Amino acid sequence: MREKLDRRKKYTRKVLKESLIALLADGKPLSGITVKAICERADINRSTFYMHFSDPYDLLNHIESEIIEDLIAYLNTYRFTVEEESQKMTQKLLEYIAENQFLFQTLLVKNKDPAFEKRLMEIARRFMMSAVPHMNKVNSRYLSTFVVSGAIHVIKDWLANEMDLPPEKMAALINHFANYPRLH
């Protein structure tokens, strides 16, 4: 009996998440999305929604937290030498984004969620700072902020342009831009 409830709970959360993302993808701002609209799209009643989430903001926060946890776990499965770390880690990040294209296009490009963007930046900074062990902490923090901010905006542009280059080429470009800021 417990397994059946867990499956039902997982299904309910899944359709609620999909419904919110679909509404955001349709161009509705989060502030304009009601619990009623989410429930109608998910074909679930409002009391069921409130058993899982307090409001659309809580639901979006839950979605973003799951993405962040999944992304960290995904990136932690890869280990590279210091020399190859930056480009390979960027490529793995871009591959993950490509696998979840609709979700990232919705949250970063269409919805332009600054909180989600900031969370992504923190993950990228953490991985980047571990790849630059020879630099002092303050310089490393500022360098990573500079590089990651630019990289996030390049990734958003890449998403907005339907990922017109494969992840490995984008990773090489981002790495090149980060290491050689003058255009050649």
Side-chain angles (χ1 to χ4, degrees), residues 90-156:
T90 303
Q91 181 177 333
K92 291 301 172 191
L93 173 66
L94 293 171
E95 288 171 358
Y96 181 86
I97 290 170
E99 289 171 14
N100 298 281
Q101 178 182 359
F102 180 73
L103 198 53
F104 280 92
Q105 281 177 326
T106 301
L107 294 176
L108 285 176
V109 179
K110 291 181 182 173
N111 190 44
K112 297 179 182 162
D113 184 352
F116 183 62
E117 184 174 321
K118 185 176 180 181
R119 291 168 91 175
L120 280 178
M121 286 181 65
E122 285 305 312
I123 291 171
R125 282 184 65 206
R126 189 172 344 141
F127 279 95
M128 182 182 181
M129 288 175 75
S130 68
V132 188
H134 62 279
M135 190 179 289
N136 75 48
K137 252 186 170 170
V138 173
N139 289 352
S140 179
R141 184 181 76 229
Y142 288 127
L143 173 65
S144 65
T145 298
F146 178 77
V147 171
V148 170
S149 294
I152 291 291
H153 287 282
V154 168
I155 291 168
K156 287 168 62 173

Side-chain angles (χ1 to χ4, degrees), residues 67-80 85-97 120 122-128:
I67 293 168
I68 297 300
E69 288 172 22
D70 191 44
L71 180 57
I72 290 170
Y74 176 81
L75 292 175
N76 277 329
T77 62
Y78 298 98
R79 290 287 167 237
F80 306 105
E85 180 91 25
S86 177
Q87 186 167 333
K88 293 288 187 181
M89 202 50 87
T90 303
Q91 181 177 333
K92 291 301 172 191
L93 173 66
L94 293 171
E95 288 171 358
Y96 181 86
I97 290 170
L120 280 178
E122 285 305 312
I123 291 171
R125 282 184 65 206
R126 189 172 344 141
F127 279 95
M128 182 182 181

Side-chain angles (χ1 to χ4, degrees), residues 54-72:
S54 59
D55 56 31
Y57 293 93
D58 182 35
L59 174 55
L60 181 61
N61 186 53
H62 185 82
I63 292 167
E64 292 174 353
S65 294
E66 280 184 354
I67 293 168
I68 297 300
E69 288 172 22
D70 191 44
L71 180 57
I72 290 170

